[in-house]
Amino acid sequence: MTAHADLSPTLQLAIDLIRRPSVTPIDADCQKLMMQRLGDAGFALEPMRIEDVDNFWATHGKHDGPVLCFAGHTDVVPTGPVQAWQNDPFDALIDENGMLCGRGGAADMKGSLAAMLVASERFVKDYPDHKGSVAFLITSDEEGPAHHGTKAVIERLAARKERLDWCIVGEPSSTALVGDVVKNGRRGSLGATLTVRGVQGHVAYPHLAKNPIHLAAPALAELAAEHWDNGNAFFPPTSFQISNLNSGTGATNVIPGDLTAVFNFRFSTESTVEGLQQRVAAILDKHGLDWHVEWALSGLPFLTEPGALLDAVSASIKAITGRETQASTSGGTSDGRFIATLGTQVVELGPVNATIHQVNERILASDLDVLTEIYYQTLIKLLA
């Protein structure tokens, strides 16, 4: 491994962050390190500890111009079996193939945080009188319930009528090469727990019982076969998936009294929460079921159409890597869904996502220096 002092500033910082075991919602002083660096660069700092979650908001520049925010999270998912890793998950090693390894968020997403911070340090030094503001919104609650992290900070910023024009979220958006894909939106996520009630009884006397499995099966099949929408130029059609199905007492001679089905919609801007809920209810009623649904909305769909932010990011990727980027709305949810509620243009740009949440999470170390340059050029295009 290359000596720490011989590495680029971005890689040095990434390794320092990865070596802190910040399993959600623990921050392990990652934010303390970041705030120290940002404070030294002249940023105004505002720690926001909400319940058991560490967050901070930092700004540099003028209050009368556009705001470009870098957003991300210091928390990581659990390591899984440590013995399955080639090295300690928090060692942050660069192997003989130039891969930076570590559960501390090599890909998701301390590598991006390091690149954002180093790019911003350099930008405010090179352009001390830049237009508008550079901001950071960092949380330790993205990989967990996400109640007291970015969502809560955004609510506070909204109450203060803070301006937030553009936001780059450091999620690992790239597929094969850094910058080949950026996310310019995400589908909404609407979950549900459905309970279908029957009447428990003996399997030998079915006329005295109502089997909720038999009753629910046609309705579930219809829900699975339903065409919810056609999607649009930016989003694929809305999907419906059943993830859990439970019924029965464990005995082979008992008709169960109820059935529970857990399902999820990943929905486009062509559908609404209310519309999906009404259509589900109509199908369940059509089959004459005794049912109840508990709904859980994780996030609404959002979209950043071509404009100043997407143009600046795409041009920077082209200038640094020579490749055209593809804007995509695929994948799961991110904290971008909360930031977009302010009317902010949001894109996600980060390292290759091939190993996120896997054992031996890793990225090409040199990609973080490329990412730093892309962030730096984007800052120049929007605020210099």
Side-chain angles (χ1 to χ4, degrees):
M1 177 177 169
T2 305
H4 192 269
D6 295 330
L7 297 173
S8 70
T10 298
L11 283 170
Q12 289 183 35
L13 178 56
I15 287 171
D16 287 346
L17 290 170
I18 292 168
R19 286 180 174 168
R20 299 166 189 258
S22 55
V23 177
T24 191
I26 297 169
D27 172 68
D29 285 338
C30 291
Q31 292 181 28
K32 181 179 179 181
L33 173 60
M34 293 181 68
M35 284 191 286
Q36 177 66 53
R37 294 277 293 261
L38 290 169
D40 290 346
F43 279 74
L45 305 173
E46 185 178 357
M48 295 188 192
R49 183 167 176 86
I50 303 172
E51 299 293 335
D52 61 344
V53 174
D54 287 306
N55 312 283
F56 77 81
W57 171 250
T59 57
H60 184 286
K62 308 174 183 68
H63 296 291
D64 59 351
V67 178
L68 171 59
C69 175
F70 289 106
H73 59 91
T74 54
D75 59 321
V76 299
V77 296
T79 63
V82 174
Q83 61 271 22
W85 287 71
Q86 293 176 352
N87 301 290
D88 186 291
F90 297 104
D91 268 356
L93 299 176
I94 299 178
D95 67 18
E96 65 276 8
N97 298 313
M99 303 298 289
L100 174 61
C101 309
R103 169 59 87 228
D108 189 13
M109 57 172 282
K110 292 178 184 174
S112 295
L113 296 181
M116 291 171 170
L117 198 149
V118 170
S120 297
E121 286 175 328
R122 178 178 160 199
F123 176 75
V124 300
K125 181 180 179 181
D126 293 347
Y127 299 90
D129 296 319
H130 60 82
K131 296 184 295 185
S133 298
V134 184
F136 276 75
L137 195 171
I138 307 298
T139 184
S140 64
D141 185 37
E142 198 273 346
E143 300 289 9
H147 297 315
H148 305 302
T150 300
K151 179 177 183 290
V153 174
I154 285 295
E155 289 170 353
R156 292 190 179 189
L157 297 179
R160 290 173 2 194
K161 302 188 184 307
E162 292 270 3
R163 180 173 178 173
L164 195 54
D165 299 89
W166 307 304
C167 183
I168 299 176
V169 184
E171 290 293 343
S173 63
S174 304
T175 300
L177 299 167
V178 66
D180 60 355
V181 175
V182 299
K183 306 291 187 182
N184 66 323
R186 294 281 191 163
R187 295 174 294 173
S189 177
L190 177 63
T193 300
L194 166 68
T195 300
V196 176
R197 292 177 285 264
V199 176
Q200 184 172 316
H202 196 293
V203 296
Y205 301 93
H207 59 289
L208 300 177
K210 290 183 179 180
N211 192 320
I213 301 174
H214 296 184
L215 294 172
L220 294 177
E222 184 169 343
L223 288 168
E226 181 75 0
H227 182 74
W228 301 96
D229 62 44
N230 294 318
N232 54 38
F234 300 100
F235 290 94
T238 291
S239 67
F240 168 91
Q241 288 292 315
I242 299 171
S243 59
N244 288 271
L245 191 63
N246 298 288
S247 189
T249 65
T252 61
N253 60 349
V254 178
I255 294 171
D258 54 50
L259 172 144
T260 302
V262 179
F263 59 85
N264 179 267
F265 286 103
R266 292 302 166 102
F267 63 103
S268 76
T269 49
E270 296 297 309
S271 289
T272 65
V273 171
E274 296 77 13
L276 293 172
Q277 290 173 337
Q278 290 168 5
R279 290 173 67 183
V280 168
I283 290 173
L284 297 174
D285 286 341
K286 171 184 168 184
H287 289 269
L289 301 177
D290 180 5
W291 61 273
H292 175 74
V293 173
E294 293 287 344
W295 294 99
L297 177 65
S298 297
L300 294 169
F302 70 90
L303 177 69
T304 295
E305 298 193 39
L309 178 60
L310 197 55
D311 289 350
V313 167
S314 299
S316 298
I317 292 170
K318 176 73 172 177
I320 301 303
T321 70
R323 67 181 65 100
E324 303 288 344
T325 192
Q326 175 187 354
S328 169
T329 61
S330 64
T333 59
S334 78
D335 276 359
R337 68 191 188 274
F338 304 126
I339 299 165
T341 62
L342 296 182
T344 307
Q345 294 181 34
V346 179
V347 300
E348 298 171 25
L349 169 60
V352 173
N353 56 28
T355 63
I356 58 174
H357 293 202
Q358 294 183 14
V359 167
N360 298 320
E361 178 183 341
R362 61 198 180 277
I363 57 170
L364 189 64
S366 59
D367 278 355
L368 292 186
D369 292 324
V370 174
L371 191 60
T372 303
E373 291 301 316
I374 294 171
Y375 290 152
Y376 178 74
Q377 290 299 323
T378 302
L379 281 161
I380 291 174
K381 294 181 188 305
L382 291 173
L383 295 180

